[in-house]
Amino acid sequence: MLTDEGGAILGERTGRWAYLTPTASATVMLLLASTSQEEAAGQYAERYGTGVQQAAADVRTVADTLAARGLAHTGQEPVRTHRRWWGWRP
């Protein structure tokens, strides 16, 4: 759940919640709505009135932190999913 007042992300692997500050939550929403970190940084700079370099560093920090906690995928390595078969096989 993400809002402008903060947010929480459930780690599917751990079952634990990670709580986000309002700025981190807004950053995640911008990342989800963008096609790249650069695009998200541009929107972040506009929204918060920061320089583009500072915005890029802030967006990168949030993205890297979520990836390090296993809550996001960086796009640099394949996502590993474990699928279980719960049905009947002939």
Side-chain angles (χ1 to χ4, degrees), residues 6 9 12 22-23 28 30 37 49 52 58-60 63 72 75 78 89:
I9 299 175
E12 292 179 353
T23 305
V28 171
L30 290 172
Q37 281 190 21
V52 176
D58 292 348
V59 168
R60 189 172 36 259
R89 288 188 181 179

Side-chain angles (χ1 to χ4, degrees), residues 2 10-11 13 15-16 18 20 23 25 29 36-37 40-41 46 48 51 68 75-76 78 84 87:
L2 301 170
L10 178 63
R13 292 185 184 140
R16 293 186 182 150
L20 304 174
T23 305
S25 182
M29 288 190 283
S36 67
Q37 281 190 21
E46 246 182 72
Y48 293 105
Q76 295 176 354
R84 293 185 176 127

Side-chain angles (χ1 to χ4, degrees), residues 2-88:
L2 301 170
T3 69
D4 286 335
E5 288 84 34
I9 299 175
L10 178 63
E12 292 179 353
R13 292 185 184 140
T14 65
R16 293 186 182 150
W17 288 93
Y19 297 97
L20 304 174
T21 65
T23 305
S25 182
T27 303
V28 171
M29 288 190 283
L30 290 172
L31 283 164
L32 291 171
S34 302
T35 58
S36 67
Q37 281 190 21
E38 292 79 19
E39 182 182 338
Q43 293 176 7
Y44 183 99
E46 246 182 72
R47 183 176 197 170
Y48 293 105
T50 65
V52 176
Q53 289 181 333
Q54 181 61 52
D58 292 348
V59 168
R60 189 172 36 259
T61 297
V62 171
D64 290 348
T65 300
L66 292 175
R69 292 184 180 182
L71 298 170
H73 177 60
T74 62
Q76 295 176 354
E77 57 191 46
V79 176
R80 292 189 173 104
T81 58
H82 299 279
R83 295 183 182 220
R84 293 185 176 127
W85 176 259
W86 295 104
W88 173 79

